[in-house]
Amino acid sequence: QKEVEQNSGPLSVPEGAIASLNCTYSDRGSQSFFWYRQYSGKSPELIMFIYSNGDKEDGRFTAQLNKASQYVSLLIRDSQPSDSATYLCAVNRPGSSNTGKLIFGQGTTLQVKP
Amino acid sequence: DAGITQSPRHKVTETGTPVTLRCHQTENHRYMYWYRQDPGHGLRLIHYSYGVKDTDKGEVSDGYSVSRSKTEDFLLTLESATSSQTSVYFCAGGGHTDTQYFGPGTRLTVL
């Protein structure tokens, strides 16, 4: 079992729809959860972080965390073609709190079609 | 993050030669990291630093060494490059919140 799992996709949604990206993690000790967006040929860009169970909203993005189910998701409302990218889920490595050691999933490719 | 730069951005080298990649940051990040990104493997941590002259290994450290003589600079050295080290290398910086910010990357090809 991978430590952080994501469906590689591609996930295809029409413009204006809600895109739902999912991530599961294996270690219950993880406390910090991140979503990065990576355009082709570019570096990962932080878009959301969440530490507590529940929802966290930032503009069109909502991160959802359920520690009991070891599940974190990212919702993108009103998807735009410019949202087409690979989305990386990252989780802190338990036992390395405050050192920033993260475990990354392999990413989900999102395609938003006009 | 414009506060993290990497040099060179592209490099082609031959097997067996030493290679040094440089990461420079102006954000006063305490922690710095070197990753490689390969298809099918995602981002993998090579080495990280938690302060000047304080470094530790990541999950794929064999064949790599690092040095951090001042806060701003974190160097990654391939002592004797191999074709398996052909990859895209990313430097990242961060603080105590676990949040990391990435540099633009270096594409390295070992022939």
Side-chain angles (χ1 to χ4, degrees), chain B residues 8 11-21 63-65 76-82 85 108-111:
Chain B
K11 186 170 182 67
V12 179
T13 191
E14 295 186 349
T15 298
T17 60
V19 177
T20 296
L21 308 182
Y64 302 95
S65 62
L76 176 70
T77 297
L78 290 65
E79 302 290 347
S80 177
T82 68
Q85 293 175 312
L108 176 67
T109 302
V110 184
L111 301 177

Side-chain angles (χ1 to χ4, degrees), chain B residues 19-95:
Chain B
V19 177
T20 296
L21 308 182
R22 180 178 185 246
C23 178
H24 179 76
Q25 58 118 342
T26 58
E27 302 295 318
N28 202 32
H29 293 305
R30 176 182 177 184
Y31 301 104
M32 296 186 76
Y33 314 86
W34 276 107
Y35 292 90
R36 60 179 291 173
Q37 188 174 38
D38 306 286
H41 292 280
L43 279 164
R44 293 182 290 174
L45 182 65
I46 303 171
H47 281 281
Y48 71 101
S49 168
Y50 44 96
V52 174
K53 298 187 179 180
D54 290 324
T55 64
D56 205 349
K57 296 179 179 179
E59 59 185 300
V60 289
S61 60
D62 287 349
Y64 302 95
S65 62
V66 290
S67 66
R68 191 171 180 197
S69 59
K70 49 185 178 178
T71 301
E72 297 83 4
D73 294 324
F74 193 32
L75 304 181
L76 176 70
T77 297
L78 290 65
E79 302 290 347
S80 177
T82 68
S83 59
S84 64
Q85 293 175 312
T86 292
S87 186
V88 179
Y89 291 85
F90 289 105
C91 174

Side-chain angles (χ1 to χ4, degrees), chain A residues 51-71:
Chain A
Y51 302 134
S52 303
N53 273 331
D55 295 359
K56 179 182 179 182
E57 187 174 318
D58 184 1
R60 295 187 296 113
F61 299 99
T62 299
Q64 298 176 318
L65 175 61
N66 184 325
K67 290 185 179 180
S69 300
Q70 296 174 242
Y71 178 94

Side-chain angles (χ1 to χ4, degrees), chain A residues 12-64:
Chain A
S12 183
V13 300
E15 183 175 356
I18 296 175
S20 178
L21 304 163
N22 304 315
C23 172
T24 59
Y25 60 97
S26 61
D27 198 309
R28 290 189 176 275
S30 294
Q31 297 292 326
S32 308
F33 307 88
F34 304 86
W35 284 100
Y36 286 83
R37 177 177 62 199
Q38 187 174 24
Y39 293 113
S40 180
K42 301 297 185 181
S43 60
E45 172 192 9
L46 178 70
I47 53 172
M48 291 285 290
F49 59 88
I50 186 167
Y51 302 134
S52 303
N53 273 331
D55 295 359
K56 179 182 179 182
E57 187 174 318
D58 184 1
R60 295 187 296 113
F61 299 99
T62 299
Q64 298 176 318

Side-chain angles (χ1 to χ4, degrees), chain B residues 92-105:
Chain B
H96 64 278
T97 61
D98 293 339
T99 305
Q100 294 184 23
Y101 300 93
F102 285 80

